[in-house]
Amino acid sequence: QQQVKQSPQSLIVQKGGISIINCAYENTAFDYFPWYQQFPGKGPALLIAIRPDVSEKKEGRFTISFNKSAKQFSLHIMDSQPGDSATYFCAARGNNYGQNFVFGPGTRLSVLP
Amino acid sequence: DTGVSQNPRHKITKRGQNVTFRCDPISEHNRLYWYRQTLGQGPEFLTYFQNEAQLEKSRLLSDRFSAERPKGSFSTLEIQRTEQGDSAMYLCASSSWGAGAATDTQYFGPGTRLTVL
């Protein structure tokens, strides 16, 4: 129940294209859903986050879509750039059993020039 | 500003040795988290502190692992009698939790990569 599933495992997109990464969860107690970007040898960096009371949040080229009834959320990267090539992790935080984050297994994104 | 810092960045040790890692959080942050990340996986929660109190520990944290945050500032993670399965990246994160900080945004350090031979 604490698991967060993420797909695809890897993604190759042409420069200027749209990258879409999907996540799904089971635990309805999750109340905060961040996305992290990680470059090799670095720690994860917060990209964008959403709470379940909104269905979409946009920050620049990055958009989170959230479907509470389906318990799914996704990250859309518009106009993907080679510099976006990194591993992306979705995560979820529960508010009634602990304050730790549960991370998905990650998606390795490669944006071709 | 200084973000979250971790030392050392890399540690190579022999099986059976003890190792200790240090994390310095962002100065005004009252929460500090430890995660472990293996290749190709997302970070796995180990434990977290609010100020100097250790509030939660994962069952992944065997009795060979111990973490402290004695003055509510920096934290140390010690692994005793290391095993090859302990080889991983150990990540520290910090956040500000309290009135007005409803999202508990966690900021990660660069990690300490442990290799156990």
Side-chain angles (χ1 to χ4, degrees):
Chain A
Q1 257 201 333
Q2 297 187 22
Q3 189 179 15
V4 175
K5 297 180 180 179
Q6 184 173 348
S7 64
Q9 186 175 12
S10 63
L11 180 62
I12 300 174
V13 174
Q14 293 287 338
K15 179 181 175 182
I18 301 173
S19 304
I20 302 174
I21 304 171
N22 301 299
C23 284
Y25 63 97
E26 289 294 325
N27 191 335
T28 55
F30 288 147
D31 69 345
Y32 176 63
F33 302 87
W35 284 89
Y36 281 83
Q37 178 189 57
Q38 186 175 30
F39 293 103
K42 305 290 186 182
L46 178 67
L47 197 59
I48 187 172
I50 198 169
R51 296 181 66 88
D53 51 350
V54 299
S55 59
E56 185 174 283
K57 183 174 181 180
K58 183 177 181 179
E59 291 183 0
R61 296 185 295 111
F62 302 93
T63 300
I64 299 179
S65 297
F66 189 86
N67 186 330
K68 187 174 181 178
S69 60
K71 290 184 284 187
Q72 295 175 347
F73 58 111
S74 60
L75 174 69
H76 296 234
I77 306 174
M78 311 299 287
D79 187 27
S80 299
Q81 299 296 312
D84 296 331
S85 298
T87 300
Y88 292 81
F89 296 97
C90 60
R93 186 198 68 183
N95 67 352
N96 68 350
Y97 66 87
Q99 297 297 322
N100 58 290
F101 281 43
V102 178
F103 282 81
T107 295
R108 178 172 290 183
L109 172 65
S110 296
V111 181
L112 303 179
Chain B
D1 165 30
T2 65
V4 178
S5 61
Q6 293 187 245
N7 288 288
R9 295 292 310 277
H10 303 274
K11 179 70 177 178
I12 299 174
T13 191
K14 293 182 179 179
R15 187 166 51 107
Q17 298 295 304
N18 299 343
V19 295
T20 300
F21 310 140
R22 176 177 169 129
C23 171
D24 287 88
I26 294 171
S27 59
E28 63 269 23
H29 284 181
N30 56 357
R31 283 194 170 174
L32 187 150
Y33 297 76
W34 284 100
Y35 291 84
R36 180 172 66 190
Q37 185 178 26
T38 53
L39 198 63
Q41 297 297 317
E44 294 177 296
F45 169 77
L46 293 179
T47 188
Y48 90 95
F49 295 82
Q50 181 157 313
N51 300 313
E52 65 276 8
Q54 189 173 17
L55 296 188
E56 188 174 348
K57 295 197 302 185
S58 164
R59 59 179 180 274
L60 292 175
L61 210 66
S62 77
D63 56 6
R64 297 185 297 105
F65 289 69
S66 62
E68 294 183 343
R69 194 183 184 198
K71 297 182 179 179
S73 57
F74 73 92
S75 175
T76 58
L77 177 69
E78 181 183 16
I79 308 174
Q80 297 182 328
R81 305 181 303 281
T82 52
E83 302 173 356
Q84 289 184 323
D86 297 331
S87 295
M89 175 79 85
Y90 289 84
L91 293 164
C92 175
S94 70
S95 71
S96 179
W97 178 260
T103 60
D104 191 28
T105 298
Q106 296 187 16
Y107 297 87
F108 282 82
T112 294
R113 181 165 296 283
L114 173 66
T115 301
V116 182
L117 301 176

